[in-house]
Amino acid sequence: MKKFTNRQIKENSVKVLNELADIAEKYGVKLAMEFVGHPQCTINTFGQAYDVIKTKTVNRDNVGLVLDCFHFYAMGSRIEDLQKVDGSKIFILHIDDAEDFSISSLIDEDRL
């Protein structure tokens, strides 16, 4: 598996989000980026995802986040990051629970 630095992940995410936001904007569509709380995913915490969408070049009205409670928990996202967020940038809230396994072993199939 190829590895990427956090800087490479952020730069690529910013580039792709801007391209998609330009297309979506023409149609009045909003984009909600979802971080995935799994170690093999490139953006796997709420703080990392919010950092991407709030960069100077992506800070757009039609770009926000999906806040998935399972993914938030599964990779140990920090409540302090959630407390700092502009609530208008959370476009979708996905409420779910998880099996009683350790955080490091949770996968999507453990959602309830």
Side-chain angles (χ1 to χ4, degrees):
M1 174 169 45
K2 185 174 180 182
K3 292 184 179 183
F4 299 95
T5 66
N6 286 332
R7 187 172 135 236
Q8 289 172 314
I9 292 167
K10 185 175 179 178
E11 287 173 356
N12 189 55
S13 298
V14 165
K15 178 182 178 280
V16 170
L17 273 176
N18 273 313
E19 290 172 3
L20 293 174
D22 286 342
I23 295 166
E25 193 171 49
K26 295 174 188 174
Y27 299 97
V29 172
K30 291 185 173 187
L31 302 176
M33 183 177 91
E34 183 173 7
F35 63 97
V36 178
H38 191 276
Q40 276 66 43
C41 295
T42 54
I43 297 179
N44 52 25
T45 66
F46 179 84
Q48 186 183 12
Y50 189 65
D51 183 49
V52 167
I53 70 157
K54 288 301 289 182
T55 61
K56 191 183 325 180
T57 58
V58 179
N59 190 17
R60 302 165 70 137
D61 291 338
N62 70 330
V63 177
L65 292 174
V66 174
L67 173 53
D68 182 311
C69 296
F70 174 82
H71 288 150
F72 189 92
Y73 176 73
M75 279 301 292
S77 288
R78 299 168 357 116
I79 195 72
E80 295 84 8
D81 291 333
L82 183 57
Q83 290 169 333
K84 296 177 198 172
V85 74
D86 172 1
S88 70
K89 296 306 278 182
I90 298 174
F91 291 177
I92 299 171
L93 176 61
H94 188 181
I95 300 172
D96 39 18
D97 199 355
E99 293 285 356
D100 189 23
F101 299 125
S102 68
I103 289 176
S104 62
S105 70
L106 288 170
I107 55 174
D108 277 356
E109 287 80 14
D110 300 321
R111 285 196 249 203
L112 300 174

